[in-house]
Amino acid sequence: MILDDILSRTAERVESIPRARGEYSRGTCRSLEASIRDVKYSPSPRHAIIAELKFSSPSRGSIRPYSDPRGLALEFVQNGCIALSVHTEPHYFHGSPEDLHAVREAVAVPVLRKDFIIDDRQLEESLDMGADAVLLISGVLKEKLPSFVERCAELGIEPLVEVRDRKDTEIALQSGARIIGINNRDLTTLQVSLRPTIRLGEMIRRSGRLVVSESGILWPYDVRLLKDYCDAYLIGTSLMRSPSPAKALEGFVFG
C-alpha cells in the first residue's frame, strides 16, 4: 500500500535526524487554535481556511509546476486564509523543509507542517523549520499518540491530530488534543468522500474540540455543506490546480 511505502521512506529520513540534548524550545508559536476561534466567533461572514502549498501527491501526481512558495503564501494570506499548511514530505509530495522555512519567514499567520510524523525527533525538527503546528495522524501513531501530543505541549508547538474513523477519534479525544482534523481521504485506498466529516464532526465538536475538515473540498458549496460539522477547512489540491490559486481561495473564504 502507498501508506506503507511513505512510512518506510519516512523512517529512512528519521534516521538522519540527531537527537536533541537538554531543553529544546523555540519560544512562542503562532496559535492555529486562536486563529480558528477568531473566525468562529467573529460576526463577519468568513470561513476559516487553511491554505495548503502542495505541488504533488500520490493520488494526483503533479498538481502544479513548482514555483516560489513564498510568493504563493503571501498571495494566500492577502486573500484571506487564516493559516498555511506546507508539505515537507519529499518523495511523494515534493515538499521540503526549505519551503516551510521560507513561508514562515514571509507571513504572520500560523504555519502547519504537513508530513508523516513517526518519531519525536521530527517534532524538534519541525521547530527548527519554523513550524507553529504539526500534523499527527492518529491511525499511524495509534497508542503512541498521547505521548506525541504531550511532547508537543512541552515544545510549545500545536498538534493538529488527524482522524479517519471512530476508533481514531476516540484515541484523539483521549490524547487531549484541542484541534482534530478529519481526513476525508482514505489513506489506504486514496478514495475521497466528505462523509467522514459529517459522520464524526458533530461528536468531536460536542467534546469542545475544534474540527478541521481535510481533503476533498473542491468548491465553495462543499464548505457550505460542511459548516455545521467543522470549524475550519484545510484545502490544497483545488487551490493549487487553479490557474489563479489566490482567487480560488477568495471564493472559499467568502463563498
Side-chain angles (χ1 to χ4, degrees), residues 1-248:
M1 292 187 298
I2 188 66
L3 179 59
D4 293 334
D5 292 340
I6 292 173
L7 294 178
S8 177
R9 290 263 197 169
T10 300
E12 294 173 4
R13 283 191 288 137
V14 166
E15 290 305 311
S16 67
I17 304 173
R19 289 203 173 274
R21 296 179 180 177
E23 293 296 322
Y24 198 98
S25 68
R26 193 198 58 215
T28 303
C29 291
R30 303 159 184 169
S31 175
L32 177 60
E33 179 182 359
S35 294
I36 296 172
R37 291 192 184 278
D38 283 348
V39 173
K40 180 176 180 178
Y41 296 111
S42 169
S44 65
R46 179 185 174 203
H47 300 120
I49 307 296
I50 304 169
E52 182 164 274
L53 279 73
K54 178 172 64 175
F55 297 98
S56 184
S57 75
S59 61
R60 293 282 188 171
S62 178
I63 296 171
R64 185 180 188 84
Y66 184 83
S67 57
D68 174 28
R70 182 182 184 277
L72 273 172
L74 286 169
E75 290 184 10
F76 281 149
V77 171
Q78 290 165 2
N79 282 268
C81 72
I82 58 105
L84 291 159
S85 170
V86 181
H87 253 289
T88 58
E89 198 286 327
H91 302 290
Y92 295 91
F93 294 89
H94 296 178
S96 73
E98 291 75 21
D99 286 352
L100 193 150
H101 184 74
V103 168
R104 178 53 156 74
E105 290 295 306
V107 302
V109 301
V111 178
L112 167 73
R113 181 191 182 185
K114 194 86 173 287
D115 208 319
F116 295 82
I117 304 298
I118 59 173
D119 189 286
D120 59 5
R121 282 175 288 179
Q122 291 171 281
L123 301 180
E124 297 157 359
E125 179 189 50
S126 298
L127 285 180
D128 287 339
M129 291 180 192
D132 301 290
V134 64
L135 183 76
L136 301 179
I137 303 175
S138 180
V140 168
L141 293 173
K142 297 183 172 63
E143 70 279 354
K144 295 189 292 184
L145 177 65
S147 66
F148 276 74
V149 171
E150 182 179 354
R151 183 58 177 153
C152 284
E154 293 171 354
L155 293 171
I157 191 169
E158 285 183 314
L160 167 59
V161 174
E162 180 179 289
V163 303
R164 170 71 188 175
D165 55 28
R166 185 171 290 272
K167 182 178 180 181
D168 287 349
T169 301
E170 290 172 354
I171 295 172
L173 291 174
Q174 291 168 6
S175 76
R178 296 177 61 84
I179 315 173
I180 297 180
I182 302 173
N183 195 346
N184 298 310
R185 184 182 302 281
D186 187 327
L187 293 179
T188 58
T189 66
L190 301 183
Q191 296 301 306
V192 175
S193 165
L194 298 181
R195 291 185 62 83
T197 294
I198 295 171
R199 187 172 65 248
L200 300 170
E202 187 176 356
M203 176 184 74
I204 297 171
R205 292 177 91 186
R206 283 200 304 266
S207 74
R209 321 301 170 89
L210 292 174
V211 176
V212 179
S213 184
E214 308 172 25
S215 297
I217 300 169
L218 304 179
W219 309 101
Y221 170 80
D222 295 328
V223 169
R224 295 192 296 271
L225 175 69
L226 297 174
K227 66 183 179 64
D228 291 333
Y229 306 97
C230 64
D231 305 292
Y233 313 81
L234 194 153
I235 305 176
T237 300
S238 56
L239 297 179
M240 297 294 284
R241 293 185 72 189
S242 171
S244 176
K247 188 66 176 178

